[in-house]
């Protein structure tokens, strides 16, 4: 069993726990994938298969992204033909539903690699992805899985089933979820998992949802779906079904403790109650919500009710420290109250709740530096110029730490980046290949955007 020793670190074991004292001058021993000892440097072993000298750097849990889209990497810098989209439905039709059609399986692989390199560089070690490629459905999740395996991170994958491209592709999406869930179990990897993807309530008929629910129940899994991401989803549900989005999903059996509802912005008190009563997970993506001008989810109220709420990025850059900062600021200005969404509440989203959500898919604890937990760790060269204590860690993270401070990224005891040099991926080669392929993707995108 390979061993890794990290010496002379300042350990921040759990940023969300005000009782978890910071530990300067400590060492962490990793055996295989798991942390086996956390001891003062004087008590640390003298040898290991690999030794990292931390030189007093911060050692923290790797960050977790609870909702993302690897397939969107080629959108960066891409122009949308015509005038700017005026609302979220236009953004969907003219950007995302044209881009996903433009992707081949090779584009899917490369788009994932671009995102995974960004994640490693910024200390994001576990990702829950939500994929779409309507013209390259079959096998798409295995292609992403191979990219994940190469990169060395931890990921839960699914395919977003939708009726927007016709019945045959909806059925193909269902089949891809079923195939991948079975394959992920057969692989027996501790770094890959599967759940059942659904696009959004407004692009799914009752018949398709009933078919998906039957398949998911036979496999014992939940769902990963966008819901109430702005007014359009609610308006469609009320006009078409005479009920609100969350009520409809509940009626059809989609909600539950294994299901992730991304966004949940335009929900009312009764819908929030249903999400709470069913122990359904909600993920918050503040940067995306601001960019799409779809509103602000009532995350402070959800947290007050001890709902299961995590933090994702919806495909934005994989510096989760930036997502934390945005969550901290957005709710203050929205409520006109600087007391709203305090630092520990943000840490609760990003660390406590994200780790609990990841625990639904992976077999050992993630998201804290503790004996017995997966050794998913990051080192940062953040040098605070004020005291760093258990009682002020959140504000060092929110006002001081950035993804650019990450020097080492470790997943399951494997060093994926050391001294800011990626070990598992050739970042320059990936970027060069992406620059070559992007014009072809963009050309296909322009063709599809005329008909979407």
């Amino acid at each position: 069993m390979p061993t890794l020793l990290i010496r002379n670190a300042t350990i921040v074991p759990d940023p969300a726990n005000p009782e978890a004292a910071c530990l300067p001058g400590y060492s962490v021993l990793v055996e295989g994938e798991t942390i086996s000892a956390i001891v003062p440097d004087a008590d640390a072993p003298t040898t290991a298969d690999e030794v990292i000298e931390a030189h007093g750097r911060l050692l923290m849990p790797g960050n977790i992204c609870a909702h993302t889209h690897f397939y969107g990497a080629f959108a960066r810098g891409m122009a949308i033909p015509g005038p700017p989209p005026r609302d979220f439905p236009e953004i969907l039709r003219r950007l995302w539903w044209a881009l996903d059609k433009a992707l081949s399986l090779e584009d899917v692989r490369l788009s994932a690699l671009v995102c995974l390199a960004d994640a490693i560089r910024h200390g994001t070690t576990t990702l829950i992805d939500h994929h779409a490629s309507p013209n390259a459905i079959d096998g798409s999740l295995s292609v992403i899985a191979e990219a994940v395996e190469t990169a060395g991170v931890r990921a839960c994958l699914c395919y977003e089933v939708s009726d927007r491209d016709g019945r045959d592709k909806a059925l193909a999406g269902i089949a891809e979820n079923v195939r991948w869930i079975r394959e992920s179990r057969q692989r027996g990897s501790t770094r890959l998992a599967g759940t059942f993807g659904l696009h959004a309530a407004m692009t799914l008929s009752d018949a398709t949802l009933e078919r998906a629910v039957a398949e998911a129940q036979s496999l014992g899994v939940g769902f990963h779906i966008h819901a109430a991401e702005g007014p359009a989803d609610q308006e469609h549900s009320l006009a078409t079904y005479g009920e609100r989005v969350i009520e409809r999903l509940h009626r059809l059996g989609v909600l539950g403790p294994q299901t992730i509802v991304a966004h949940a912005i335009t929900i009312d008190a009764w819908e929030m109650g249903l999400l709470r009563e069913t122990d359904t997970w909600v993920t918050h993506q503040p940067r995306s919500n601001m960019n799409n001008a779809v509103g602000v989810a009532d995350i402070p109220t959800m947290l007050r009710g001890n709902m299961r709420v995590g933090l994702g990025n919806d495909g934005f850059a994989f510096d989760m420290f930036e997502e934390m900062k945005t969550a901290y600021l957005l709710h203050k200005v929205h409520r006109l109250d600087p007391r709203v969404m305090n630092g520990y509440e943000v840490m609760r989203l990003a660390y406590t709740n994200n780790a609990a959500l990841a625990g639904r898919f992976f077999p050992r604890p993630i998201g804290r530096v503790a004996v017995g937990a997966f050794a998913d760790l990051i080192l940062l060269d953040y040098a605070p110029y004020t005291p760093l204590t258990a009682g002020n860690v959140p504000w060092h993270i929110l006002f001081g730490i950035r993804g650019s401070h990450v020097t080492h990224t470790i997943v399951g005891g494997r060093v994926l980046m050391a001294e800011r040099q990626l070990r598992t991926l050739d970042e320059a080669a990936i970027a060069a290949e992406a620059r070559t392929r992007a014009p072809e993707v963009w050309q296909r995108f322009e063709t599809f955007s005329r008909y979407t």
Side-chain angles (χ1 to χ4, degrees):
M1 183 180 296
T3 56
L4 169 69
L5 178 64
I6 306 170
R7 284 202 294 234
N8 188 24
T10 299
I11 299 177
V12 181
D14 182 355
N17 183 358
E19 305 300 322
C22 299
L23 304 172
Y26 266 65
S27 293
V28 172
L29 179 64
V30 179
E31 296 182 279
E33 295 182 287
T34 308
I35 297 171
S36 61
I38 301 171
V39 296
D41 288 336
D43 300 329
T46 56
T47 61
D49 294 320
E50 182 169 2
V51 178
I52 296 174
E53 296 290 350
H55 303 293
R57 292 167 173 160
L58 297 191
L59 177 66
M60 295 176 56
N63 286 326
I64 297 167
C65 180
H67 173 73
T68 194
H69 299 285
F70 293 155
Y71 81 84
F74 287 112
R76 182 171 295 181
M78 184 176 66
I80 303 175
R86 62 185 176 181
D87 55 22
F88 185 53
E90 276 203 9
I91 292 172
L92 290 174
R93 289 194 301 271
R94 294 175 53 199
L95 174 57
W96 300 114
W97 295 352
L99 176 61
D100 63 18
K101 288 185 179 70
L103 299 175
S104 66
L105 285 179
E106 182 58 25
D107 299 324
V108 168
R109 178 193 70 85
L110 190 56
S111 188
L113 287 172
V114 168
C115 294
L116 293 167
D118 189 46
I120 294 170
R121 180 158 297 285
H122 294 101
T124 300
T125 53
T126 297
L127 307 109
I128 301 177
D129 186 57
H130 196 266
H131 177 64
S133 53
N135 291 323
I137 297 174
D138 297 347
S140 58
L141 298 181
S142 294
V143 169
I144 298 171
E146 292 308 315
V148 169
E149 290 276 52
T150 300
V153 302
R154 207 176 299 281
C156 178
L157 309 178
C158 68
Y159 187 88
E160 61 168 53
V161 176
S162 174
D163 285 312
R164 67 179 183 263
D165 297 306
R167 181 67 173 164
D168 288 346
K169 290 188 177 180
L171 294 175
I174 289 173
E176 179 63 7
N177 279 303
V178 171
R179 186 199 64 77
W180 167 247
I181 291 165
R182 289 174 175 160
E183 180 185 322
S184 67
R185 291 171 175 174
Q186 291 169 355
R187 285 178 179 238
S189 171
T190 58
R191 291 189 296 102
L192 282 167
T195 189
F196 208 112
L198 302 169
H199 174 249
M202 65 182 179
T203 66
L204 288 158
S205 67
D206 277 9
T208 299
L209 283 172
E210 288 166 357
R211 176 74 173 266
V213 167
E215 294 285 2
Q217 288 177 344
S218 72
L219 293 164
V221 299
F223 297 95
H224 189 175
I225 183 173
H226 303 98
E229 186 180 1
D233 202 8
Q234 288 290 8
E235 291 169 2
H236 176 272
S237 187
L238 288 166
T240 307
Y241 303 100
E243 57 190 339
R244 295 179 68 84
V245 170
I246 301 302
E247 292 167 342
R248 177 175 174 241
L249 295 179
H250 181 57
R251 170 174 61 82
L252 293 167
V254 174
L255 304 185
Q258 296 187 84
T259 288
I260 302 167
V261 167
H263 304 294
I265 297 167
T266 54
I267 60 173
D268 66 13
W270 300 106
E271 289 176 288
M272 190 179 293
L274 279 175
L275 292 168
R276 184 174 184 266
E277 290 164 16
T278 56
D279 283 333
T280 300
W281 288 89
V282 173
T283 63
H284 183 39
Q285 290 71 225
R287 287 187 293 177
S288 172
N289 297 162
M290 293 166 67
N291 183 58
N292 290 328
V294 288
V296 181
D298 193 0
I299 302 302
T301 299
M302 295 183 197
L303 291 175
R304 184 182 173 198
N306 289 316
M307 288 177 60
R308 300 166 182 253
V309 187
L311 189 67
N313 76 346
D314 209 24
F316 264 67
F318 287 87
D319 182 347
M320 290 303 294
F321 294 113
E322 291 303 311
E323 206 72 49
M324 294 178 215
K325 292 170 171 51
T326 305
Y328 180 76
L329 297 171
L330 172 61
H331 296 276
K332 290 173 169 54
V333 72
H334 178 64
R335 292 273 195 96
L336 301 178
D337 186 346
R339 298 167 295 182
V340 172
M341 190 64 81
N342 68 46
Y344 276 113
E345 288 179 317
V346 177
M347 297 303 108
R348 182 175 161 195
L349 289 176
Y351 291 99
T352 304
N353 291 358
N354 272 8
L357 175 56
R360 291 278 172 177
F361 304 110
F362 300 104
R364 293 193 191 98
I366 300 172
R368 63 181 186 270
V369 185
V371 173
F374 273 125
D376 293 4
L377 308 168
I378 56 177
L379 281 169
L380 305 95
D381 63 2
Y382 174 68
Y385 55 80
T386 59
L388 177 68
T389 69
N392 68 15
V393 165
W395 291 273
H396 277 281
I397 291 174
L398 293 167
F399 291 100
I401 289 175
R402 301 183 299 275
S404 59
H405 285 119
V406 177
T407 63
H408 294 68
T409 299
I410 301 161
V411 176
R414 183 185 182 192
V415 182
L416 310 184
M417 181 175 74
E419 300 296 350
R420 296 190 172 88
Q421 297 299 310
L422 272 63
R423 289 186 175 182
T424 56
L425 298 177
D426 186 335
E427 198 172 10
I430 291 168
E433 186 179 357
R435 283 193 299 272
T436 299
R437 293 190 69 86
E440 301 172 17
V441 175
W442 288 2
Q443 186 174 21
R444 292 195 296 272
F445 162 81
E446 289 190 10
T447 299
F448 286 118
S449 69
R450 298 191 191 106
Y451 303 103
T452 299

